[in-house]
Amino acid sequence: MSCSPRKDPIFKPNSNHNKKMPPNPDDALKHALLKLRPRTVSQSESTSPYSESEPESDASNPNHLPAAADCTALLSDELLLKVLGKIHDRKQHIANSLVCRRWCVLCGKLVKSIKLIDWEFLESGRMSFRFPNLEDVNLVPACIKSARNSGILLSNKLIEVRLSSGMLENGDGLFVRKGDVFESKAIDGGVAILAEGCKNLRRVVLMNVSEEGLNCLAKECELLQEMELHNCGDFSLRGIYNCRNLQILKLNGNINGVYGSVVSDIGLTILAQGCSRLVKLELVGCEGSYDGIKAIGQCCQMLEELTICDHRMEGGWLSALSYCRNLKSLSFQSCKNIDENPGLDEHLGSCMMLEELHLRKCQMRNKQGVKALFVVCRRIRELVLEDCWGLDDSIFTAATVFRSIRSLSLEGCSLLTTQGLESVVLSWKELNRLRVVSCNNIKDSEITAELATLFSILKELKWQPDSRSILSASLAGTGIGQKGSRSLRWK
């Protein structure tokens, strides 16, 4: 049998077969998919029976991409944590935690702040295990026994509570009664678990915690700098005596209509002796008198910001503010009165370093108390009055005691007139910033030449006293708003 001789291929220089082919884009895509494809179970490890319909090998399939290992497995935990930390979207962190167990653990280390709703999640130790690097924890929602799926939400600037139908049937006028909150012993146990598992805490919000729980927190969390306490009595404050690095404290004694607890001079004195490094203090619904504020001023010598909200202080407490020698900012919020019996002006003293005075939603009908407050704060440079009831011309005249005022902000002071404003601001020689908003008795038509001259030399002026005048000025020349003229009609 004859065989035909083997014919070697003829080399042709100009042949297309000898030219270098350009890279195929599909190959690049397959390579990228190969890197992203997760590891699959091999045939030998598969528990499913052998099927003749399945090919013995995928090598004959040119489009098959072999299983590849997870590329992130080559990265150390520290390096992968830095990569995941570059993602600032919190929702994306939740999605990333569902990729695998390793990513779940690493994403949990990136969480710094949490508001707890389920108390069992803390008590079981899962919260500190899942999020070991927490720095800001709010336990208040979980401390209240309420239905998590309740559609009733009580919320204000101080607290946010889910209410059940039983809470609305209270006869004592409080939404949160004593039985609606976990006992102090149970809360202390949860706080101890939190302190042992999250030693990097910087801020914590607690409710109905006792001295034992605060002691444990002070012992384990040496970096703790900010604390907010709800529904705590005088003697529970002994627990923060060891919080030597505490700088910011918000103490909620009584929130009107929500819960009631008593913080008196005893608690304020314990607080002052234990927190000597306080820089910012906020007292909400606290009782007390001259002695408690004096103790704070004498012991907390680094105190720079003091906020008093809805206080229940006894008369004569204002003169104790003079002991706060380094106080720079003083704020009053939602106070029904300033001081019912402040005493003589010569006994009031003054805050030598005070720069700012803020009054928001306060009753200012008591001229004697307002005048005493202005005397104590006579060295301020900035005055802010917002939505204060009873502030008329006669009471605002007491502000002439300020001699170094540089900034004045008025908002929602509907009783103050143009004449009352002018009589005071013209006496301030250093005023360079003025803001007047929604003060409906201050009229553009009543501005005098002296007041206009003052406006011309100010560095900053925001003048929107009467919303009606602004509307009429914007509609001038349009014929809208005049009797018998055009009107707006919405379709």
Side-chain angles (χ1 to χ4, degrees), residues 130-149:
R130 178 74 173 81
F131 310 110
N133 294 332
L134 287 174
E135 297 180 359
D136 184 354
V137 177
N138 184 356
L139 299 183
V140 171
C143 294
I144 301 174
K145 302 175 184 177
S146 59
R148 288 189 294 168
N149 57 352

Side-chain angles (χ1 to χ4, degrees), residues 55 57-66:
S57 175
D58 291 331
S60 60
N61 187 0
N63 296 324
H64 172 72
L65 295 176

Side-chain angles (χ1 to χ4, degrees), residues 224-238:
L224 188 64
Q225 296 180 351
E226 184 175 353
M227 183 183 297
E228 182 176 342
L229 298 178
H230 289 264
N231 199 25
C232 295
D234 286 331
F235 295 103
S236 63
L237 296 176
R238 291 183 297 187

Side-chain angles (χ1 to χ4, degrees), residues 58 75 152-153 202 214 283 297 304 335 351 377 385 398-399 447 453:
D58 291 331
L75 302 177
I152 307 173
L153 177 65
R202 305 294 178 91
L214 291 176
L283 303 176
E304 295 183 356
C335 295
C351 298
C377 307
L385 302 172
I447 297 178
T453 303

Side-chain angles (χ1 to χ4, degrees), residues 141-419:
C143 294
I144 301 174
K145 302 175 184 177
S146 59
R148 288 189 294 168
N149 57 352
S150 173
I152 307 173
L153 177 65
L154 173 65
S155 177
N156 59 17
K157 294 182 179 180
L158 301 176
I159 194 172
E160 183 175 300
V161 182
R162 290 281 179 182
L163 300 179
S164 60
S165 58
M167 294 181 177
L168 300 177
E169 299 174 357
N170 295 343
D172 52 6
L174 298 176
F175 287 110
V176 181
R177 297 170 297 180
K178 186 176 181 180
D180 295 329
V181 183
F182 284 111
E183 296 182 357
S184 297
K185 185 176 181 180
I187 293 180
D188 291 341
V191 171
I193 296 174
L194 174 67
E196 293 175 0
C198 305
K199 297 183 181 295
N200 295 325
L201 278 180
R202 305 294 178 91
R203 179 180 181 270
V204 64
V205 184
L206 304 173
M207 187 175 193
N208 201 31
V209 67
S210 70
E211 177 184 357
E212 182 180 352
L214 291 176
N215 272 329
C216 181
L217 196 65
K219 179 180 178 181
E220 299 292 340
C221 304
E222 298 180 355
L223 301 178
L224 188 64
Q225 296 180 351
E226 184 175 353
M227 183 183 297
E228 182 176 342
L229 298 178
H230 289 264
N231 199 25
C232 295
D234 286 331
F235 295 103
S236 63
L237 296 176
R238 291 183 297 187
I240 64 175
Y241 193 86
N242 295 322
C243 297
R244 299 299 182 181
N245 295 321
L246 196 65
Q247 297 181 6
I248 302 175
L249 175 62
K250 184 175 181 180
L251 184 58
N252 298 274
N254 187 312
I255 298 182
N256 190 23
V258 182
Y259 62 78
S261 60
V262 177
V263 177
S264 62
D265 283 336
I266 298 175
L268 296 180
T269 303
I270 295 174
L271 180 155
Q273 294 176 351
C275 304
S276 58
R277 295 187 180 183
L278 276 184
V279 177
K280 183 177 179 180
L281 174 63
E282 185 171 352
L283 303 176
V284 180
C286 295
E287 301 178 5
S289 63
Y290 174 89
D291 295 332
I293 301 300
K294 178 182 176 181
I296 292 175
Q298 289 179 332
C299 298
C300 305
Q301 298 183 2
M302 300 173 63
L303 187 65
E304 295 183 356
E305 297 183 33
L306 176 61
T307 300
I308 298 176
C309 181
D310 191 22
H311 76 81
R312 292 159 173 79
M313 302 283 185
E314 297 179 1
W317 72 274
L318 264 180
S319 56
L321 289 175
S322 59
Y323 288 93
C324 302
R325 303 187 183 279
N326 293 317
L327 192 64
K328 295 181 179 180
S329 177
L330 177 62
S331 300
F332 289 83
Q333 297 179 8
S334 305
C335 295
K336 297 179 178 63
N337 64 79
I338 304 300
D339 194 335
E340 295 180 349
N341 185 19
L344 300 176
D345 291 351
E346 52 266 25
H347 297 156
L348 291 175
S350 65
C351 298
M352 305 297 293
M353 303 296 293
L354 191 63
E355 298 179 355
E356 302 176 7
L357 175 61
H358 300 253
L359 290 99
R360 294 182 173 90
K361 298 181 180 180
C362 295
Q363 295 279 1
M364 301 184 67
R365 293 185 173 91
N366 186 354
K367 185 176 181 179
Q368 186 181 8
V370 175
K371 182 181 178 182
L373 174 63
F374 287 175
V375 170
V376 173
C377 307
R378 57 180 175 268
R379 297 180 181 273
I380 63 171
R381 298 183 178 183
E382 180 178 349
L383 177 62
V384 178
L385 302 172
E386 294 183 4
D387 300 321
C388 292
W389 298 282
L391 180 64
D392 55 14
D393 293 348
S394 61
I395 294 179
F396 190 64
T397 306
T400 54
V401 71
F402 302 132
R403 295 299 180 183
S404 303
I405 283 286
R406 296 182 180 180
S407 175
L408 172 64
S409 176
L410 298 173
E411 183 175 349
C413 303
S414 58
L415 298 180
L416 187 63
T417 66
T418 311
Q419 291 77 14

